[in-house]
PDB file of all heavy atoms in Angstrom:
ATOM      1  N   VAL Q  44       6.009 158.716  -0.927  1.00 98.00           N
ATOM      2  CA  VAL Q  44       7.441 158.631  -1.057  1.00 98.00           C
ATOM      3  C   VAL Q  44       8.132 157.232  -0.533  1.00 98.00           C
ATOM      4  O   VAL Q  44       7.420 156.683   0.243  1.00 98.00           O
ATOM      5  CB  VAL Q  44       8.000 159.879  -0.424  1.00 98.00           C
ATOM      6  CG1 VAL Q  44       7.802 159.814   1.076  1.00 98.00           C
ATOM      7  CG2 VAL Q  44       9.493 160.025  -0.720  1.00 98.00           C
ATOM      8  N   GLN Q  45       9.174 156.987  -1.038  1.00 98.00           N
ATOM      9  CA  GLN Q  45       9.860 155.799  -0.523  1.00 98.00           C
ATOM     10  C   GLN Q  45      10.699 156.069   0.821  1.00 98.00           C
ATOM     11  O   GLN Q  45      10.963 157.327   0.990  1.00 98.00           O
ATOM     12  CB  GLN Q  45      10.787 155.324  -1.575  1.00 98.00           C
ATOM     13  CG  GLN Q  45      10.158 154.435  -2.690  1.00 98.00           C
ATOM     14  CD  GLN Q  45      11.051 153.765  -3.594  1.00 98.00           C
ATOM     15  OE1 GLN Q  45      12.204 154.125  -3.749  1.00 98.00           O
ATOM     16  NE2 GLN Q  45      10.616 152.664  -4.160  1.00 98.00           N
ATOM     17  N   ALA Q  46      10.834 155.074   1.579  1.00 98.00           N
ATOM     18  CA  ALA Q  46      11.574 155.318   2.844  1.00 98.00           C
ATOM     19  C   ALA Q  46      12.958 156.015   2.547  1.00 98.00           C
ATOM     20  O   ALA Q  46      13.616 155.661   1.480  1.00 98.00           O
ATOM     21  CB  ALA Q  46      11.807 154.006   3.494  1.00 98.00           C
ATOM     22  N   GLY Q  47      13.291 156.860   3.372  1.00 98.00           N
ATOM     23  CA  GLY Q  47      14.515 157.701   3.165  1.00 98.00           C
ATOM     24  C   GLY Q  47      14.410 158.987   2.448  1.00 98.00           C
ATOM     25  O   GLY Q  47      15.255 159.796   2.303  1.00 98.00           O
ATOM     26  N   GLY Q  48      13.120 159.062   1.811  1.00 98.00           N
ATOM     27  CA  GLY Q  48      12.800 160.329   1.024  1.00 98.00           C
ATOM     28  C   GLY Q  48      12.452 161.495   1.821  1.00 98.00           C
ATOM     29  O   GLY Q  48      12.430 161.377   3.094  1.00 98.00           O
ATOM     30  N   SER Q  49      12.077 162.539   1.161  1.00 98.00           N
ATOM     31  CA  SER Q  49      11.717 163.784   1.919  1.00 98.00           C
ATOM     32  C   SER Q  49      10.456 164.386   1.234  1.00 98.00           C
ATOM     33  O   SER Q  49      10.083 164.107   0.102  1.00 98.00           O
ATOM     34  CB  SER Q  49      12.784 164.848   1.608  1.00 98.00           C
ATOM     35  OG  SER Q  49      13.905 164.347   2.268  1.00 98.00           O
ATOM     36  N   LEU Q  50       9.712 165.109   2.072  1.00 98.00           N
ATOM     37  CA  LEU Q  50       8.430 165.813   1.601  1.00 98.00           C
ATOM     38  C   LEU Q  50       8.462 167.198   2.485  1.00 98.00           C
ATOM     39  O   LEU Q  50       9.013 167.169   3.433  1.00 98.00           O
ATOM     40  CB  LEU Q  50       7.154 164.989   1.907  1.00 98.00           C
ATOM     41  CG  LEU Q  50       6.856 163.967   0.972  1.00 98.00           C
ATOM     42  CD1 LEU Q  50       5.641 163.247   1.519  1.00 98.00           C
ATOM     43  CD2 LEU Q  50       6.455 164.520  -0.398  1.00 98.00           C
ATOM     44  N   ARG Q  51       7.773 168.082   1.762  1.00 98.00           N
ATOM     45  CA  ARG Q  51       7.632 169.386   2.547  1.00 98.00           C
ATOM     46  C   ARG Q  51       6.191 169.682   2.511  1.00 98.00           C
ATOM     47  O   ARG Q  51       5.714 169.880   1.428  1.00 98.00           O
ATOM     48  CB  ARG Q  51       8.475 170.554   1.783  1.00 98.00           C
ATOM     49  CG  ARG Q  51       8.466 171.802   2.502  1.00 98.00           C
ATOM     50  CD  ARG Q  51       8.920 173.031   1.694  1.00 98.00           C
ATOM     51  NE  ARG Q  51       9.293 174.197   2.358  1.00 98.00           N
ATOM     52  CZ  ARG Q  51       9.241 175.361   1.940  1.00 98.00           C
ATOM     53  NH1 ARG Q  51       8.821 175.485   0.575  1.00 98.00           N
ATOM     54  NH2 ARG Q  51       9.610 176.377   2.593  1.00 98.00           N
ATOM     55  N   LEU Q  52       5.665 170.000   3.789  1.00 98.00           N
ATOM     56  CA  LEU Q  52       4.239 170.152   3.804  1.00 98.00           C
ATOM     57  C   LEU Q  52       4.129 171.805   3.995  1.00 98.00           C
ATOM     58  O   LEU Q  52       5.003 172.444   4.776  1.00 98.00           O
ATOM     59  CB  LEU Q  52       3.621 169.615   5.011  1.00 98.00           C
ATOM     60  CG  LEU Q  52       3.602 168.038   4.994  1.00 98.00           C
ATOM     61  CD1 LEU Q  52       2.850 167.445   6.160  1.00 98.00           C
ATOM     62  CD2 LEU Q  52       3.181 167.364   3.782  1.00 98.00           C
ATOM     63  N   SER Q  53       3.027 172.265   3.554  1.00 98.00           N
ATOM     64  CA  SER Q  53       2.774 173.722   3.809  1.00 98.00           C
ATOM     65  C   SER Q  53       1.286 173.924   4.406  1.00 98.00           C
ATOM     66  O   SER Q  53       0.467 173.019   4.142  1.00 98.00           O
ATOM     67  CB  SER Q  53       2.828 174.539   2.404  1.00 98.00           C
ATOM     68  OG  SER Q  53       4.123 174.410   1.833  1.00 98.00           O
ATOM     69  N   CYS Q  54       1.182 175.010   5.204  1.00 98.00           N
ATOM     70  CA  CYS Q  54      -0.077 175.276   5.768  1.00 98.00           C
ATOM     71  C   CYS Q  54      -0.238 176.816   5.655  1.00 98.00           C
ATOM     72  O   CYS Q  54       0.486 177.593   6.310  1.00 98.00           O
ATOM     73  CB  CYS Q  54      -0.011 174.764   7.151  1.00 98.00           C
ATOM     74  SG  CYS Q  54      -1.572 175.352   8.065  1.00 98.00           S
ATOM     75  N   ALA Q  55      -1.217 177.209   4.830  1.00 97.00           N
ATOM     76  CA  ALA Q  55      -1.492 178.616   4.653  1.00 97.00           C
ATOM     77  C   ALA Q  55      -2.686 178.915   5.655  1.00 97.00           C
ATOM     78  O   ALA Q  55      -3.785 178.324   5.501  1.00 97.00           O
ATOM     79  CB  ALA Q  55      -1.816 178.805   3.201  1.00 97.00           C
ATOM     80  N   ALA Q  56      -2.593 180.085   6.349  1.00 95.00           N
ATOM     81  CA  ALA Q  56      -3.633 180.546   7.164  1.00 95.00           C
ATOM     82  C   ALA Q  56      -4.230 181.763   6.643  1.00 95.00           C
ATOM     83  O   ALA Q  56      -3.644 182.653   6.036  1.00 95.00           O
ATOM     84  CB  ALA Q  56      -3.035 180.737   8.589  1.00 95.00           C
ATOM     85  N   SER Q  57      -5.599 181.855   6.856  1.00 93.00           N
ATOM     86  CA  SER Q  57      -6.217 183.124   6.556  1.00 93.00           C
ATOM     87  C   SER Q  57      -7.190 183.485   7.486  1.00 93.00           C
ATOM     88  O   SER Q  57      -7.580 182.556   8.326  1.00 93.00           O
ATOM     89  CB  SER Q  57      -6.807 182.944   5.111  1.00 93.00           C
ATOM     90  OG  SER Q  57      -7.716 181.866   5.100  1.00 93.00           O
ATOM     91  N   GLY Q  58      -7.832 184.625   7.413  1.00 90.00           N
ATOM     92  CA  GLY Q  58      -8.912 184.981   8.468  1.00 90.00           C
ATOM     93  C   GLY Q  58      -8.262 185.670   9.476  1.00 90.00           C
ATOM     94  O   GLY Q  58      -7.442 186.553   9.341  1.00 90.00           O
ATOM     95  N   TYR Q  59      -8.786 185.569  10.829  1.00 87.00           N
ATOM     96  CA  TYR Q  59      -8.285 186.251  11.912  1.00 87.00           C
ATOM     97  C   TYR Q  59      -7.016 185.649  12.382  1.00 87.00           C
ATOM     98  O   TYR Q  59      -6.991 185.110  13.572  1.00 87.00           O
ATOM     99  CB  TYR Q  59      -9.490 186.269  13.011  1.00 87.00           C
ATOM    100  CG  TYR Q  59     -10.796 186.986  12.749  1.00 87.00           C
ATOM    101  CD1 TYR Q  59     -11.934 186.401  13.102  1.00 87.00           C
ATOM    102  CD2 TYR Q  59     -10.753 187.986  11.621  1.00 87.00           C
ATOM    103  CE1 TYR Q  59     -13.051 187.070  12.670  1.00 87.00           C
ATOM    104  CE2 TYR Q  59     -11.806 188.550  11.272  1.00 87.00           C
ATOM    105  CZ  TYR Q  59     -13.058 188.071  11.813  1.00 87.00           C
ATOM    106  OH  TYR Q  59     -14.232 188.696  11.442  1.00 87.00           O
ATOM    107  N   THR Q  60      -5.981 185.938  11.766  1.00 82.00           N
ATOM    108  CA  THR Q  60      -4.755 185.310  12.067  1.00 82.00           C
ATOM    109  C   THR Q  60      -3.984 185.755  13.332  1.00 82.00           C
ATOM    110  O   THR Q  60      -3.221 185.275  13.806  1.00 82.00           O
ATOM    111  CB  THR Q  60      -3.744 185.289  10.926  1.00 82.00           C
ATOM    112  OG1 THR Q  60      -3.566 186.665  10.610  1.00 82.00           O
ATOM    113  CG2 THR Q  60      -4.180 184.558   9.747  1.00 82.00           C
TER     114      THR Q  60
END
Side-chain angles (χ1 to χ4, degrees):
V44 65
Q45 288 191 329
S49 298
L50 283 173
R51 188 196 195 203
L52 306 183
S53 298
C54 173
S57 60
Y59 299 149
T60 57

